[in-house]
Amino acid sequence: MKVRLIFCLISILIAVTFVSSCGESEDKTTKITTPVVKSVDDEEIKVTEVLEINFAAEEAAVRALYKSHDAAVNDRKPEANKVMEFWLDSGSVLMAHTFFGNLAAGRTRQKVRALWTGIFKRKNRWQMETKIETVKIEKKRGQLATAEGTFKYVANKTLSIKVLYQKNKEGDWQVKAIDYGDNGLIKGFKLSG
C-alpha cells in the first residue's frame, strides 16, 4: 500500500510539474511575442510621426502669401474683407501700427478688420511699400514662421515690420500677426502679452 501511495504521489507530482511547466512555456511565448509586435507598431508610428520640412519650399510659400497680402492692401479699391482672406480664421490674431504717433492695435479678427477699414477710408491713403528681408520657419513642427523687414509710408518714412504666420487646418500659411513699426508685440514665434 505504501508503494501505491508513493507511486500515486510521484505521478501527481509529475503531472502537476508537467502542466505547470507547459503553462509557463506558453506564457513566456506570449510575453515575448506581444512586446515585439508592439515595439514594431510603436516604431512604425514613430516613423510616421517624423516630419520632413522642406524649409526652402515653406519660405517660398510664406513669401508668396506676403506678396498676395501686400497686393490686397495696395489695391486701387482695397477692401478689408479681401485683406482678411489672408488671415487665420481661428485663434488669436494681432495687427499693430502707429497711427499719427499713437499705437493702434487689434487682437481679434473683428478689430483687425476694423483697423484695415479705418486705414482704407482715409482720403489721402498711401501705397505701402514693404520689403521682407528674413523668413524663419519653426524647426520643430514647421507650423509657425516669422518674417522681418521694412515698410515705407507717409513721406517715405521707413520703419521695421514683423510678421507672424501660422498654418491653418488645411496646412496653408496664413497671417497670424503683423506689427508695423516693430512695437515689440511679436517675440520669436509668439505674440507677447
Side-chain angles (χ1 to χ4, degrees):
M1 180 103 114
K2 284 185 177 182
V3 174
R4 278 188 177 174
L5 184 59
I6 291 176
F7 182 72
C8 271
L9 287 174
I10 291 175
S11 297
I12 291 173
L13 185 62
I14 291 172
V16 169
T17 305
F18 181 78
V19 170
S20 66
S21 70
C22 287
E24 286 179 23
S25 170
E26 191 174 311
D27 287 345
K28 285 182 183 175
T29 305
T30 303
K31 288 179 185 174
I32 292 171
T33 304
T34 303
V36 170
V37 172
K38 282 185 181 177
S39 68
V40 170
D41 287 344
D42 290 344
E43 189 173 328
E44 287 176 3
I45 290 171
K46 287 179 185 174
V47 170
T48 58
E49 287 178 0
V50 173
L51 296 175
E52 290 187 30
I53 302 169
N54 183 337
F55 290 97
E58 296 296 348
E59 181 177 340
V62 166
R63 287 182 182 274
L65 173 63
Y66 148 77
K67 285 184 180 182
S68 298
H69 183 270
D70 250 18
V73 169
N74 287 321
D75 191 273
R76 288 182 186 259
K77 294 183 179 180
E79 296 177 27
N81 287 334
K82 287 197 179 207
V83 172
M84 293 307 294
E85 289 176 7
F86 301 101
W87 287 71
L88 278 174
D89 285 333
S90 61
S92 61
V93 295
L94 166 82
M95 185 177 109
H97 66 92
T98 303
F99 197 65
F100 295 113
N102 297 316
L103 177 65
R107 292 188 177 269
T108 65
R109 279 186 58 84
Q110 276 184 314
K111 290 181 180 177
V112 170
R113 182 182 292 112
L115 286 171
W116 284 119
T117 300
I119 291 169
F120 296 153
K121 284 184 177 180
R122 291 192 52 194
K123 288 182 181 180
N124 297 325
R125 199 177 71 77
W126 65 91
Q127 291 292 302
M128 191 165 23
E129 295 177 37
T130 60
K131 179 181 178 184
I132 294 297
E133 296 165 357
T134 61
V135 174
K136 296 176 186 173
I137 310 294
E138 173 196 37
K139 291 182 180 179
K140 271 188 171 179
R141 299 177 318 142
Q143 297 293 308
L144 295 169
T146 59
E148 294 183 22
T150 59
F151 76 103
K152 287 183 184 181
Y153 75 104
V154 184
N156 291 324
K157 186 176 181 181
T158 303
L159 295 172
S160 297
I161 182 175
K162 270 193 180 176
V163 187
L164 180 60
Y165 299 95
Q166 181 177 327
K167 285 190 175 181
N168 61 15
K169 293 175 187 175
E170 292 79 29
D172 299 322
W173 287 108
Q174 300 280 277
V175 176
K176 182 172 179 69
I178 298 178
D179 188 353
Y180 292 102
D182 189 7
N183 298 290
L185 300 174
I186 299 174
K187 300 280 187 187
F189 294 105
K190 295 180 182 180
L191 299 178
S192 62

